[in-house]
Amino acid sequence: MTTVLIVDDQPLQRYGFRMLLDSVPETEVVGEAAHGSEAVRKVAELRPDVVLMDVRMPGMDGIEATRRIVAAGDRSRVLVLTTFDLDEYVYAALRAGASGFLLKDARPEELLSGIRAVAAGDAVIAPALTRRLLHEFARLAPAGRDGSAEDPRLTSLTDREREILVAIGRGWTNGEIATRFVLSESTVKTHVGRVLAKIEARDRIQAVIFAYDHGLAQPHAG
């Protein structure tokens, strides 16, 4: 059972999400919040597995709420839902520690799949937007960053693990990595887990950000 907190300033939107989640046995809505500060309080109180987080809300927005929830070190993971296409809010949310991003017009099965993935510790981005997101991270990454070798998180990686990190930064799936490096998917999964642990990334999205910030990946590669 995956517990979910719904955060949206529109009552009808919250009702729609609740109706969907209540219709399947594997999810349970444990609460709702209408703005960011209420979301932060309820996450601390209810400790849901997943927080469905709207971005634009009065008062504390979803970006700041996500940042505070992640900073608190709780187990709850944030899945950002927005009616807006890729914009500065989305990048800010992911850098704040959100584990995924979907548009509100996603199909019900996509939302349910995204919730399951985020609850399992994976990351999810609306499939049609992944490549554009990677291009934008490359554009916004710190220019001329030099000093990757001095980062102890990078120096702790083996050569193979560094290759895996570069592949993650390019947006490759485990299957694509397995094919490229002639490895089994179970071996790739093990490598990915070790890479995430060593670079202190919560999930693949944070690993992508790390790879771009350290100049290890370019979106046109691969």
Side-chain angles (χ1 to χ4, degrees), residues 70-91:
V70 173
D74 205 351
R75 66 188 184 89
S76 300
R77 293 180 176 271
V78 178
L79 176 57
V80 173
L81 291 172
T82 179
T83 54
F84 302 94
D85 206 334
L86 290 179
D87 57 20
E88 69 274 14
Y89 294 98
V90 175
Y91 307 115

Side-chain angles (χ1 to χ4, degrees), residues 7 25 40 43 59 63 74 80 85 109 138 140-141 147 162 168 195-196:
V7 185
V40 173
V43 166
I63 308 296
D74 205 351
V80 173
D85 206 334
E109 60 268 25
L140 297 177
R162 182 182 286 258
I168 293 172
V195 168
L196 296 184

Side-chain angles (χ1 to χ4, degrees), residues 12-31:
L12 189 59
Q13 189 77 68
R14 296 198 303 273
Y15 178 77
F17 287 139
R18 177 181 281 275
M19 288 289 288
L20 171 63
L21 298 179
D22 283 346
S23 71
V24 293
E26 65 265 25
T27 59
E28 177 188 3
V29 177
V30 294

Side-chain angles (χ1 to χ4, degrees), residues 60-165:
M60 183 188 297
D61 64 16
I63 308 296
E64 181 59 26
T66 296
R67 185 176 295 111
R68 295 191 186 191
I69 289 168
V70 173
D74 205 351
R75 66 188 184 89
S76 300
R77 293 180 176 271
V78 178
L79 176 57
V80 173
L81 291 172
T82 179
T83 54
F84 302 94
D85 206 334
L86 290 179
D87 57 20
E88 69 274 14
Y89 294 98
V90 175
Y91 307 115
L94 295 179
R95 286 194 176 275
S99 294
F101 159 63
L102 290 174
L103 295 176
K104 285 183 179 178
D105 63 1
R107 296 190 304 273
E109 60 268 25
E110 291 176 332
L111 176 57
L112 294 172
S113 176
I115 289 172
R116 287 193 296 269
V118 169
D122 206 345
V124 59
I125 306 175
L129 304 177
T130 301
R131 184 59 58 185
R132 288 166 55 193
L133 178 64
L134 296 182
H135 274 283
E136 188 66 9
F137 271 129
R139 185 180 70 82
L140 297 177
R145 174 138 184 190
D146 189 14
S148 296
E150 286 75 31
D151 191 315
R153 293 173 296 178
L154 276 177
T155 57
S156 69
L157 298 176
T158 65
D159 289 343
R160 173 62 82 191
E161 289 167 351
R162 182 182 286 258
E163 290 176 334
I164 297 294
L165 174 58

